[in-house]
Amino acid sequence: MRAEAKLGLILLLTPLLLWLTLLILIPHIDMALVSLRERVGVGEYRFSFANYWTFLSEPLYLRTFLRTAVMSILATVLTLLIGFPVAYYIAKMARGRMRSALFLLCLVPFWVSELVRTFGWMILLRETGLISNLLQYLGLVDGPVEMLYNDAAIMVGLIYTSMLFMVVPLVTTLETLPDEVIEAGYDLGGNGASVLREIIIPHATPGIVSGCIVVFMLSLGNYLTPIMLGGKDSLWFTELIYSQFIVRFNWELGAAFGFLLLGLSSAIVWGMLKLTGQSLEKTMG
Amino acid sequence: MTPDLECLTLTKRFGDTLAVDEVSFDVPRGSFFSILGPSGCGKTTVMRMIAGFLEPTSGDIRIRGRSVLDTPPNKRPVNMVFQHLALFPMMNIADNIGYGLRRAGLPRDQIARKVDEALDRIGLPGIGQRKVDELSGGQKQRVAIARCMVLEPEVLLLDEPLGALDLKLRERMKVELKSLQAAFDTTFVYITHDQSEALVMSDHIAVMNEGRFEQVGSGQDLYYRPATAFVAGFVGDSNRWSGQVERVEGDALILRTDSGLTLRGDRHDRALSPGDRAEIFVRPEAIRIAPSAEDLAGFDNRLSGTVTSLLFNGADSRILVKDEGSTEEIAVNLPQSGEFAHLARGAQVHIGWAAAQGNCFAAGAS
């Protein structure tokens, strides 16, 4: 009986273990090794930290790295600010069919590919796009307005792409807050702001943190949106990684960049968990 | 003295349905008032209107003589103990009790002192730092009451707060709630569907049905002198027959039931005349049981029949008796003196009761 149970467990775990080792563990070990070597001749390599040193000594790399981090944090904060009222409305105020309809509306943008979605934004925001034409038609501006290829356009694209991943965990946690508890908050003298601060937000913290982690990682690792909506001045760190691997064929530096990004996202997620007093088990479980 | 709480022709409609229909009552200061009714009768709606979570369609709510219709729930001098208590799980006990005081802007040291006082008063000193889910059901109950009472509300509303507790604890909490009410000397308005909770704790009880108050009175009034057929049927148990009035002499009347019995009853000043359809209610404990017909000579109603069931329930044990020539079973309480302890199914018994115990109401009233 015990042997059978053990066999069953092994069989159940096999796909997961294969996935973890083949797709995550082995490539990362290989990447780590690649990032820690330096090319000294044709087909000749030696162990060194040169790639990491290059990163630190080149201001463009460092600045792009920090900019990507700051922009991703900003995108996460903005997504939370926009997503929280939406989630609260869906979880606490909408009823029955209205509720499923709203949920569906959040999901609809994900039925088309990210590429098409981003093109949608380009149609709206470009110089000859809808918004520009509308503003000219209304006489608010004299000539065409270019709204693409800047940080604001990237931000809009990132928030749009991440919204669902913020709304879903928020709705799930807010749903578990009984209406009675909110009413008790008012009944005992609380107003809207204090009920939000003392009751709703503390209750929703696990959802807020898990939503933020997912949105932050998606933004940090996003490639398509910054490339298409951002301009020459709006470099994203993933673009640097791509160009090292594909354009420059410098796998060593690319791998080092990849590890730096991994380190950055881990550090910020860890910091976020520490700051809010949450643990990964609590927010993800 | 102005009553603590007055409701004047309070009405609430939800679309086409009339949830509360012109309910008027007042609750004297320091008393324990209950609204008793089956689920869906509108009692929660009344409570939520008093608390301020619902706006009445018409009518007025006054607290100590002042209308509170324009006062939002967080400013009303009433607090509510919710059905599932609604303690804040994200705070410890002291913060839960201190929540309202913090909202009122009291200084920190005063809050701490008041919270300690409240914890002493509910008999749970020193649990301030515990979490909500570390408490037992009865302790949570007391904390929920303390959380309201530190704010010294003029009226405390309780929305079936004992519903979630097990039977033994519920029995104990009934007594405890009553003594807490006396200790805090505050007006309690309690809603429940459990008649024993209402009867044990209340000074006054309103029986509510389909959005209206059927009767307001003390527990004894409701039990011994029900004003309507609904109250007679809802409060306590009753044997119930419907039939036609044959003769009326003063308050006494003779009723022929549809099952063929002729029963003597009492109309207690209610308008009933010969030929009217009527219902008669007789409580199981008002019926006397005897081994021979002679023992029951003093009673106006005498029947004999066979025991069809023995329903043993400790002090509240009953038998069901089927009368000869009738299809209905009559519930009769067994006296606790032990003389009928050996009664078995199929035994022949004689039962009887006084005409005054047979409460008659015009049929169709409920």
Side-chain angles (χ1 to χ4, degrees), chain B residues 64 76-79 148-156 186-187:
Chain B
R64 300 244 165 124
R76 287 195 190 189
V78 290
N79 289 118
C148 292
M149 295 317 295
V150 286
L151 298 176
E152 292 160 16
E154 267 140 43
V155 178
L156 183 70
T186 302
T187 307

Side-chain angles (χ1 to χ4, degrees), chain A residues 180-181 183-191 194-195 197-199 202-203, chain B residues 48 53 74 79-80 82-84 86 88 90-91 99-100 102-103 147 151:
Chain A
E180 254 190 0
V181 173
E183 279 177 354
Y186 283 109
D187 185 63
L188 295 165
N191 53 27
S194 63
V195 169
R197 196 181 64 239
E198 291 212 36
I199 295 161
H203 179 88
Chain B
R48 291 177 64 79
F53 295 120
N74 52 355
N79 289 118
M80 185 152 166
F82 289 82
Q83 195 165 7
H84 303 289
F88 305 131
M90 59 294 280
M91 301 176 198
Y99 173 87
R102 286 201 302 280
R103 293 281 69 78
R147 185 175 70 170
L151 298 176

Side-chain angles (χ1 to χ4, degrees), chain B residues 28-74:
Chain B
R29 201 161 288 187
S31 67
F32 198 122
F33 184 84
S34 291
I35 301 176
L36 171 67
S39 49
C41 73
K43 56 191 193 299
T44 303
T45 310
V46 172
M47 178 80 61
R48 291 177 64 79
M49 284 193 284
I50 299 171
F53 295 120
L54 281 176
E55 207 166 310
T57 310
S58 65
D60 197 6
I61 300 164
R62 288 183 195 158
I63 293 169
R64 300 244 165 124
R66 270 176 300 119
S67 172
V68 293
L69 285 191
D70 297 326
T71 316
N74 52 355

Side-chain angles (χ1 to χ4, degrees), chain B residues 254-265:
Chain B
I254 294 175
L255 182 102
R256 176 162 288 277
T257 71
D258 298 338
S259 52
L261 295 172
T262 305
L263 301 176
R264 286 167 190 276

Side-chain angles (χ1 to χ4, degrees), chain A residues 86-198:
Chain A
V86 174
Y88 189 80
Y89 189 86
I90 293 176
K92 286 281 141 212
M93 284 144 102
R95 293 270 171 266
R97 293 180 62 135
M98 179 71 175
R99 184 175 184 160
S100 5
L102 285 172
F103 225 156
L104 200 67
L105 279 180
C106 285
L107 195 71
V108 161
F110 290 81
W111 285 356
V112 294
S113 81
E114 196 184 352
L115 196 63
V116 177
R117 255 182 289 147
T118 314
F119 270 124
W121 278 110
M122 295 178 81
I123 290 169
L124 287 176
L125 297 176
R126 67 183 172 189
E127 224 174 333
T128 53
L130 274 176
I131 296 177
S132 172
N133 281 339
L134 186 72
L135 288 175
Q136 288 177 67
Y137 175 77
L138 292 173
L140 292 170
V141 289
D142 296 331
V145 202
E146 178 61 271
M147 276 169 279
L148 275 179
Y149 313 124
N150 55 37
D151 287 354
I154 297 186
M155 202 50 80
V156 167
L158 286 177
I159 293 170
Y160 182 66
T161 312
S162 331
M163 193 51 80
L164 181 74
F165 301 98
M166 184 63 87
V167 168
V168 170
L170 283 179
V171 168
T172 320
T173 44
L174 284 173
E175 266 175 347
T176 59
L177 180 65
D179 291 344
E180 254 190 0
V181 173
I182 300 174
E183 279 177 354
Y186 283 109
D187 185 63
L188 295 165
N191 53 27
S194 63
V195 169
L196 183 71
R197 196 181 64 239
E198 291 212 36

Side-chain angles (χ1 to χ4, degrees), chain A residues 14-81:
Chain A
T14 304
L16 179 71
L17 288 175
L18 279 177
W19 189 65
L20 283 176
T21 42
L22 291 179
L23 291 168
I24 312 252
L25 206 60
I26 293 177
H28 272 85
I29 291 171
D30 190 48
M31 276 295 173
L33 294 175
V34 170
S35 78
L36 287 171
R37 70 186 191 187
E38 189 190 3
R39 210 163 102 146
V40 288
V42 181
E44 271 182 73
Y45 300 96
R46 66 183 170 92
F47 177 87
S48 93
F49 287 101
N51 298 311
Y52 293 94
W53 180 245
T54 315
F55 168 77
L56 289 173
S57 56
E58 173 60 60
L60 174 72
Y61 297 157
L62 203 60
R63 283 228 311 272
T64 309
F65 187 69
L66 292 178
R67 227 179 63 87
T68 307
V70 171
M71 291 271 287
S72 298
I73 291 172
L74 188 63
T76 309
V77 171
L78 289 175
T79 312
L80 177 64
L81 290 181

Side-chain angles (χ1 to χ4, degrees), chain B residues 19 33 85 102 121 155 165 210-211 213 219 247 249 274-275 277 290:
Chain B
F33 184 84
L85 306 178
R102 286 201 302 280
R121 214 145 178 199
V155 178
L165 303 179
E210 292 179 347
F213 276 5
R247 219 165 68 220
E249 290 162 7
R277 298 281 308 162

